Amino acid sequence: MRLVRLGPELTEVGADIRAALAAWGEGTGVSGGVAVFGCRPPGSPRKLDAVVVLPRGVIVVVGVDLPDPVLKLEAPIQTPWSVDGWPMVRTEGAVNPALEALESASALARSLQTRGAEPLPVTTIVAVGPYVEQVTQPTSDLHRGLRVLHPTTTSMLAAARELATYERDCSVEKARQLLAVLGEEPGALGVAELAAEGFSDDVAPDLAVIDTMLIPKVGGEPAPAPAPKPPAAARAIVPRHKLIALAAGVVVVLGVVLALLLGGGSDGPDAQQEEAASQRVDGVSFTERAVRRETDCGRASYGDVQAWLQTRPCTALTRLVFDAEVSQRGAAVAVAIVELPDEGGATELRNLLNTAGTGGVTDLVAAGQRWPGAPDGFDSAAQAVEQTGKQVRIVQAVWSRGYSDPDDVALRSLAERGLRLRA
């Protein structure tokens, strides 16, 4: 594990985070990877205590300082934390730090995706201190890629092994691109250093592809002498029938090339459009089925959210709907991106959307968009809401067939991934 320090420690527990990661040592003997401290990726709402870049995953580490040591911490995502049976009180920051950490992780994931970085899963560790003996988390929160813990060498290592589960090792070149997004100086870590931390070196030659040459046989019968070359004048004479055959061959080749350029060109845009309509997030493929861009958010919403948007008009609204598949079961994901004039308005809208029974933005299926395999609607959908500056994203996920439960772990995880889809 290589350590890169870009800024001072942001929290008191930050020293424990750094000590725990430093104890892994350099190289892949324990884990490998690179830890960047004190960085603020583009779009992140705050500076991050650390971002751990592993060959098979990226982990955002956010430190939280508790007033006193704690014996038992109950740390759900959706409700306030409880400390030794009492509601947690903080002088700074949100009462539930997990939401802040998840927003930071989602912002980093979007930054990496828009820059074409390796699609490694981006997960979250909330490191609490000065000391916590026991942490209790709902199982559904664990499935969302969140770990709340007191940072020690063993606890951080166990969490990293559970969270970094990408299908293959990230390459050295992709790792350098990712580290550049985090603010590391280009070239600070060389190819050999990153390869030593477990990132695959695609440039290194492989035995299966090394060029070889024929080695002449030693001993045995001598090779026959080459036939004498004809005189230069004789070589210059080419029979007429061969010239005609050669010219015919050239005409055929030119005809094939022209046919490919004219006839095959019609498939290019379709293929590019098909590729652009499909996105992949954490190994899950999303196929875009419909998109609509407009500016009248009031007409495209309902409930209290509609009343709010009618008095606080948005500047732009983008609605999309996607097909996906989870555990061999078809699902649909609706995305709404609301652009507001100011960040304060975006915060108000996010809080309203996170309140049960206040309505929302109408999905495109309810607006009349249909396709083979489309769900009947997004009733009882799992929902995820995220704010980034003046922008609010609302994602809903349902099963294409059968009953959907808003608390379904698989659907909630799918909605979280939907926050990182490009519009």
Side-chain angles (χ1 to χ4, degrees), residues 14-252:
D16 296 330
I17 297 171
R18 181 164 50 84
L21 295 175
W24 294 2
E26 294 185 359
T28 57
V30 176
S31 174
V34 179
V36 182
F37 296 91
C39 62
R40 184 170 186 172
S44 176
R46 53 164 288 180
K47 281 190 174 183
L48 304 176
D49 290 74
V51 176
V52 182
V53 181
L54 300 170
R56 298 203 174 195
V58 179
I59 304 175
V60 171
V61 184
V62 176
V64 175
D65 292 325
L66 302 178
D68 300 294
V70 175
L71 294 178
K72 183 176 181 180
L73 173 66
E74 296 179 9
I77 292 179
Q78 299 295 338
T79 56
W81 286 7
S82 175
V83 177
D84 291 334
W86 294 88
M88 188 180 75
V89 177
R90 295 177 70 196
T91 57
E92 295 182 0
V95 177
N96 189 333
L99 290 176
E100 293 180 339
L102 287 175
E103 287 184 5
S104 299
S106 297
L108 174 58
R110 282 198 306 274
S111 296
L112 297 177
Q113 193 170 19
T114 55
R115 288 162 174 79
E118 184 79 15
L120 297 172
V122 180
T123 51
T124 313
I125 290 178
V126 179
V128 292
Y131 173 76
V132 177
E133 181 173 326
Q134 179 184 357
V135 177
T136 301
Q137 285 185 260
T139 304
S140 58
D141 293 353
L142 297 175
H143 285 300
R144 295 177 69 178
L146 173 71
R147 298 294 184 272
V148 181
L149 50 82
H150 175 63
T152 64
T153 302
T154 54
S155 66
M156 293 286 287
L157 181 60
R161 287 174 173 171
E162 291 175 0
L163 296 173
T165 57
Y166 193 51
E167 57 193 15
R168 62 177 182 272
D169 289 338
C170 175
S171 69
V172 167
E173 190 59 36
K174 291 290 187 179
R176 298 177 83 173
Q177 181 183 2
L178 197 156
L179 291 169
V181 175
L182 299 178
E184 187 213 28
E185 295 182 6
L189 292 177
V191 173
E193 293 170 311
L194 290 173
E197 294 298 333
F199 299 99
S200 62
D201 183 7
D202 294 339
V203 180
D206 185 82
L207 290 178
V209 296
I210 293 179
D211 291 333
T212 58
M213 59 177 291
L214 292 176
I215 302 175
K217 184 177 179 180
V218 179
E221 297 181 359
K229 295 182 180 181
R235 292 200 305 268
I237 300 173
V238 180
R240 183 178 179 183
H241 69 276
K242 290 187 177 182
L243 287 174
I244 295 174
L246 180 61
V250 171
V251 171
V252 171

Side-chain angles (χ1 to χ4, degrees), residues 329-349:
R329 187 175 181 185
V333 176
V335 180
I337 305 172
V338 182
E339 301 279 353
L340 293 157
D342 56 79
E343 190 170 339
T347 301
E348 290 183 24
L349 178 59

Side-chain angles (χ1 to χ4, degrees), residues 284-308:
V284 177
S285 294
F286 294 81
T287 302
E288 183 182 302
R289 291 299 181 180
V291 60
R292 187 177 298 178
R293 306 180 193 278
E294 52 204 313
T295 56
D296 191 348
C297 291
R299 187 175 61 181
S301 55
Y302 59 95
D304 295 339
V305 171
Q306 182 182 47
W308 190 93

